[in-house]
Amino acid sequence: MHNIGIAITGSGSAVPETSVDNEALTALVETSDEWIATRTGIRQRRLANPAESLSVLAARASSQAIASAGISAADLDLIILATSTPDDLFGSACQIQAEIGATKAVAFDLTAACSGFIFGMVTAAQYIRSGVYQNVLLIGADILSRWVDWQDRSTCVLFGDGAGAVVMQANESDRLLGFTLKSDGSQNHFLNLAYQASCQELIPNVNISQGKYHPITMNGKEVYRFAVQKVPEVIDKTLFQANLNVDQIDWLLLHQANQRILDAVAQRLNIPKEKVISNLANYGNTSAASIPIALDEAVRQGKIKPNDIIAASGFGAGLTWGAAIFQWGR
């Protein structure tokens, strides 16, 4: 049996209506447009209103991706939702499955924070390569505004909401050229959205914890240091695995966390600025959604063309990081 290849054949994205610029945040915390823009590159972000659920945003992005792949929702075998902010702690993928009418697809959530989309891509690839499923919908979606402390100026300026999706299909030629995934739980404490327990005595001598979640906490310096060191390393490793050199990369597509990280990684890899895809000025850090939103935008603008080679990398809480190198289209 010959090996089954993988193609990434369609993309879609959806963001909330409401846009909040840096100036508006000065009403909440001591900050300025100049301070935020110079340190992060972010100028505005989209925030979901209470009526906008993760499932609805994800379904919108998904429908676009399915249409651009030229298939229908009924053709899907599998839906993977990469998210850290589901509408339902039991998972939101099944809700999306119903919403888009993907009646024969199995659906589940995958949580790997800002690396979720890359982890999801590699997970989907295994199902396709093994011959089990032919058509997979991979969604990256997060509504981090639900979990931000709007009084914490070190984090509240960073995050935005959104959803992006791609369709991955079994294909004659293999377009997923290489990948590397990494985790290091010893650095977990640098970025958290932790459970917050309140102890409750259920009956005498039986205590349980009931609770909610703390807002996001982050050690920005350490996360920056981690990203700038580990991301070039993991892309290098994946290039080697794919038997490519850095000049053959058409686009560098990083998780849109901070413009300074994007610049530093590109510089370390000797990738010129014009090959770096960046849209975080408009959307902020949308976690698992950032790579597919940026991908979809670049495809729709005609920047990314069929056969272009894309080096993508996600990095974030866990700590987790990974890279995937793929050619766009069939």
Side-chain angles (χ1 to χ4, degrees):
M1 178 184 150
H2 75 294
N3 286 345
I4 299 169
I6 289 158
I8 294 110
T9 57
S11 64
S13 59
V15 291
E17 288 291 292
T18 310
S19 178
V20 176
D21 65 10
N22 291 345
E23 198 51 51
L25 293 184
T26 60
L28 293 174
V29 287
E30 175 100 8
T31 192
S32 69
D33 173 50
E34 198 241 1
W35 190 92
I36 299 168
T38 53
R39 279 167 183 76
T40 69
I42 299 165
R43 298 202 169 269
Q44 54 185 10
R45 70 283 299 140
R46 301 293 185 98
L47 301 181
N49 66 42
E52 287 175 305
S53 70
L54 185 91
S55 307
V56 165
L57 279 176
R60 268 181 30 215
S62 299
S63 297
Q64 282 181 22
I66 294 161
S68 81
I71 62 171
S72 76
D75 297 319
L76 293 173
D77 302 304
L78 170 66
I79 297 169
I80 298 175
L81 170 65
T83 188
S84 305
T85 56
D87 296 326
D88 179 337
L89 214 43
F90 289 149
S92 288
C94 293
Q95 246 172 308
I96 297 159
Q97 181 243 19
E99 187 95 25
I100 63 175
T103 44
K104 75 167 195 193
V106 61
F108 63 83
D109 289 27
L110 179 152
T111 305
C114 302
S115 307
F117 185 79
I118 299 292
F119 278 45
M121 186 175 260
V122 173
T123 303
Q126 307 317 305
Y127 284 101
I128 296 172
R129 285 207 205 288
S130 64
V132 184
Y133 299 134
Q134 275 75 56
N135 301 313
V136 181
L137 172 68
L138 169 62
I139 308 157
D142 272 303
I143 300 185
L144 286 175
S145 60
R146 292 173 173 172
W147 300 108
V148 166
D149 175 358
W150 292 99
Q151 260 33 81
D152 175 6
R153 71 171 183 174
S154 67
T155 58
C156 78
V157 301
L158 300 175
F159 298 107
D161 305 334
V166 295
V167 169
M168 295 171 64
Q169 295 183 271
N171 199 52
E172 274 294 288
S173 72
D174 195 10
R175 321 283 279 173
L176 179 61
L177 309 176
F179 67 83
T180 311
L181 302 181
K182 296 278 189 183
S183 301
D184 179 3
S186 70
Q187 299 189 66
N188 176 269
H189 53 286
F190 291 139
L191 184 49
N192 284 114
L193 205 175
Y195 178 68
Q196 183 175 20
S198 56
C199 181
Q200 192 184 332
E201 189 173 38
L202 201 58
I203 48 175
N205 301 323
V206 178
N207 294 315
I208 55 146
S209 77
Q210 294 232 289
K212 40 185 199 283
Y213 288 85
H214 285 282
I216 293 167
T217 60
M218 179 168 88
N219 181 327
K221 243 193 203 73
E222 290 299 338
V223 171
Y224 178 86
R225 185 182 300 169
F226 143 75
V228 168
Q229 183 199 342
K230 296 296 190 188
V231 173
E233 206 175 88
V234 85
I235 291 173
D236 258 338
K237 194 175 171 168
T238 311
L239 279 167
F240 180 77
Q241 189 196 95
N243 204 3
L244 294 168
N245 63 53
V246 82
D247 305 332
Q248 291 170 280
I249 289 177
D250 295 301
W251 303 103
L252 179 65
L253 174 57
L254 301 180
H255 163 51
Q256 306 283 301
N258 183 317
Q259 190 61 45
R260 283 166 57 210
I261 294 175
L262 271 60
D263 294 344
V265 170
Q267 201 178 341
R268 283 208 178 179
L269 290 165
N270 285 322
I271 292 175
K273 265 198 168 62
E274 54 275 12
K275 286 186 175 184
V276 180
I277 291 173
S278 172
N279 68 354
L280 64 85
N282 298 327
Y283 302 106
N285 177 344
T286 56
S287 190
S290 83
I291 291 174
I293 290 173
L295 173 72
D296 182 53
E297 205 167 70
V299 167
R300 287 176 196 275
Q301 287 165 353
K303 271 169 115 170
I304 292 177
K305 299 188 166 53
N307 300 324
D308 278 3
I309 294 177
I310 298 162
S313 178
F315 49 90
L319 295 178
T320 54
W321 66 105
I325 296 176
F326 60 91
Q327 271 182 293
W328 177 249
R330 285 179 216 282

